[in-house]
Amino acid sequence: MNTINKISRYLSGHRIQLAVVLCLFGLCVAQSRKVVKGRHRPKTDERVYLKHADMLRFNQYGEHAGAQILNGNVAFLHKGALLTCDSAYFYQESNSFKAFGHVKMRQGDTLSLTSDYAFYDGDNQMAEARHNVLLRHRGTKLYTDSLNYDRLYNIGYFFEGGKMVDRNNVLVSDWGEYDTETRKAVFNYNVNLRNPKFTLTTDTLHYDTRTSLANIVGPSVIRSKESVIHTSDGYYNTNTGRARLYGRSNKGKEITGDSLFYDEKRGISQGYRNVIYKDTQKKNELHCNYLWYNEKNGFAFATENPVMMEYSQKDTLFVHSDTIKVITYHLNTDSVYRTAHCYNKVRAFRNDVQAVCDSLVYNTKDSCMTMYRDPI
């Protein structure tokens, strides 16, 4: 029996030594792995830190059990961001807090987020700001009552109506998002872009705050003093007033084409493929595959199978030629009229008259046609 006890004590002692050796070996391996890992990724601290509070008390029971109740000049730090407020409930175990009164988050020198109330989740890096929310980023301001800001992906989402102010533009919509890294925004539902020179209404709009370029991806209307543009696909530069419009865009119910280019400052429109210029008041149309139009003086130039249609009389007059120029006189007056200069291989047709010539001038004032070179 004594021999068995001696053997048992001997083995126990060696087990302890063996366990100590294994623990030391494991610790060395862990330390070596930690060093290797540290070479590839810098150390980061994911915890939310309480920087300051005038008063602190701990609530172990009740509605806010487990929360540190903070009052007066409360300040938190988390991953390079400073978050301040008047009072807060700090849940250290879940790495989160609820902030009340004059809530402000500052991230670097370019971004700040203010609100009346906010909930911050440190593990997910998500800030949920509510009531009188203002997101400032460089020269852009975003106003709303409900905003979720994802610090991991640098995107702010609003979903109960919002207003973005950028330079000379004001964008309003029911829902939207703004990426502070790319400085691009997406707006959905009842979108309205207001500028001193025009307004744009649509249901979906992509906007780049760096270039002030609006990307239209749905049925939209652009209204200015000079014109009204209907389109569902295109780009509009809010700084230069230039537009590139596709997908059978319609300008002021006057110009429609597969592609339209519009320069608001110069008043120039260019249409490509299946272009239709329509004047419903004077009851005439111009169809072609290329159109150049100046809305400031009413001059139009059409090529590539142009056809002019004049339907102010009982029947419609069709005029076809290689090129058609339209000159407008007394624009924006009650005595406005136009002359259409059609040249090379002119063909004109109406039920009661047909004409063939090399060139033709049609005057809308008296509906008179003047034909040149071998008229028939």
Side-chain angles (χ1 to χ4, degrees):
M1 194 70 178
N2 291 331
T3 303
I4 294 173
N5 290 334
K6 288 179 180 179
I7 295 172
S8 176
R9 286 195 298 270
Y10 177 81
L11 293 175
S12 297
H14 279 73
R15 286 194 190 101
I16 293 171
Q17 292 176 3
L18 181 61
V20 171
V21 171
L22 290 174
C23 288
L24 290 173
F25 177 77
L27 183 61
C28 292
V29 171
Q31 289 293 335
S32 64
R33 287 179 178 174
K34 185 181 294 185
V35 171
V36 172
K37 192 174 182 180
R39 292 175 184 172
H40 298 286
R41 192 181 79 178
K43 294 181 181 180
T44 58
D45 196 344
E46 307 291 338
R47 302 300 301 175
V48 174
Y49 282 96
L50 173 61
K51 183 180 179 181
H52 180 270
D54 291 345
M55 185 174 66
L56 183 152
R57 59 190 177 90
F58 184 74
N59 189 10
Q60 190 173 0
Y61 304 101
E63 182 180 358
H64 302 286
Q68 298 179 32
I69 302 176
L70 313 170
N71 285 286
N73 300 310
V74 181
F76 294 96
L77 288 174
H78 187 243
K79 292 184 68 63
L82 175 65
L83 304 101
T84 59
C85 59
D86 292 340
S87 60
Y89 294 113
F90 182 29
Y91 301 90
Q92 195 166 7
E93 186 175 349
S94 62
N95 203 33
S96 63
F97 62 85
K98 296 178 180 178
F100 306 90
H102 300 96
V103 182
K104 185 171 186 178
M105 181 184 78
R106 289 186 291 271
Q107 183 174 303
D109 298 330
T110 60
L111 187 142
S112 68
L113 176 64
T114 59
S115 63
D116 292 343
Y117 164 81
F119 172 75
Y120 185 76
D121 185 342
D123 291 339
N124 293 314
Q125 298 185 51
M126 179 69 75
E128 300 176 1
R130 301 293 183 268
H131 309 305
N132 299 314
V133 181
L134 172 59
L135 175 67
R136 295 173 181 263
H137 182 245
R138 299 185 185 275
T140 302
K141 297 178 183 178
L142 178 60
Y143 300 87
T144 181
D145 260 356
S146 297
L147 178 78
N148 290 353
Y149 184 71
D150 190 337
R151 295 189 61 217
L152 187 62
Y153 295 101
N154 301 308
I155 297 178
Y157 307 88
F158 65 89
F159 38 85
E160 291 184 1
K163 178 178 72 173
M164 174 180 282
V165 179
D166 172 57
R167 296 179 186 174
N168 295 324
N169 300 316
V170 178
L171 296 100
V172 180
S173 69
D174 293 344
W175 181 94
E177 64 178 62
Y178 174 64
D179 190 324
T180 57
E181 187 172 353
T182 64
R183 298 177 65 183
K184 294 182 179 180
V186 180
F187 300 91
N188 294 96
Y189 312 117
N190 299 316
V191 183
N192 187 290
L193 190 158
R194 296 193 301 272
N195 184 283
K197 296 182 179 180
F198 72 94
T199 60
L200 187 155
T201 56
T202 182
D203 262 358
T204 304
L205 183 71
H206 295 241
Y207 183 73
D208 192 330
T209 61
R210 296 171 302 178
T211 60
S212 299
L213 189 67
N215 181 11
I216 301 164
V217 295
S220 309
V221 181
I222 304 173
R223 291 183 173 88
S224 64
K225 293 181 180 179
E226 291 81 11
S227 63
V228 178
I229 301 174
H230 296 259
T231 185
S232 59
D233 181 17
Y235 296 88
Y236 192 93
N237 192 314
T238 61
N239 281 338
T240 63
R242 295 180 179 178
R244 291 177 291 157
L245 311 173
Y246 309 100
R248 301 302 297 164
S249 298
N250 178 284
K251 178 182 177 297
K253 296 184 179 179
E254 291 185 346
I255 302 177
T256 305
D258 291 349
S259 300
L260 289 180
F261 294 84
Y262 177 61
D263 188 335
E264 184 183 20
K265 289 184 178 179
R266 299 170 58 202
I268 304 298
S269 298
Q270 295 184 72
Y272 296 86
R273 293 182 298 278
N274 303 313
V275 183
I276 301 174
Y277 169 86
K278 184 184 295 185
D279 185 348
T280 55
Q281 184 178 4
K282 295 298 181 181
K283 297 183 179 180
N284 54 68
E285 294 183 15
L286 183 59
H287 295 221
C288 60
N289 282 313
Y290 173 75
L291 176 70
W292 190 94
Y293 177 67
N294 188 332
E295 65 184 17
K296 294 186 181 296
N297 57 23
F299 177 80
F301 175 83
T303 60
E304 299 184 22
N305 299 317
V307 178
M308 184 183 69
M309 291 180 285
E310 205 283 341
Y311 46 91
S312 62
Q313 307 297 323
K314 293 181 179 179
D315 194 18
T316 302
L317 172 68
F318 296 86
V319 179
H320 176 274
S321 66
D322 291 343
T323 304
I324 297 177
K325 291 182 180 179
V326 178
I327 301 173
T328 304
Y329 300 90
H330 308 301
L331 187 65
N332 300 323
T333 66
D334 295 336
S335 57
V336 61
Y337 70 95
R338 295 182 175 92
T339 58
H341 298 253
C342 313
Y343 48 91
N344 296 340
K345 302 177 182 178
V346 179
R347 300 291 187 272
F349 172 83
R350 199 168 65 182
N351 282 340
D352 57 346
V353 63
Q354 298 182 49
V356 177
C357 61
D358 184 69
S359 57
L360 177 149
V361 177
Y362 178 78
N363 194 323
T364 62
K365 188 175 183 179
D366 53 11
S367 300
C368 180
M369 290 193 307
T370 304
M371 296 177 286
Y372 301 89
R373 291 189 62 181
D374 302 325
I376 302 175

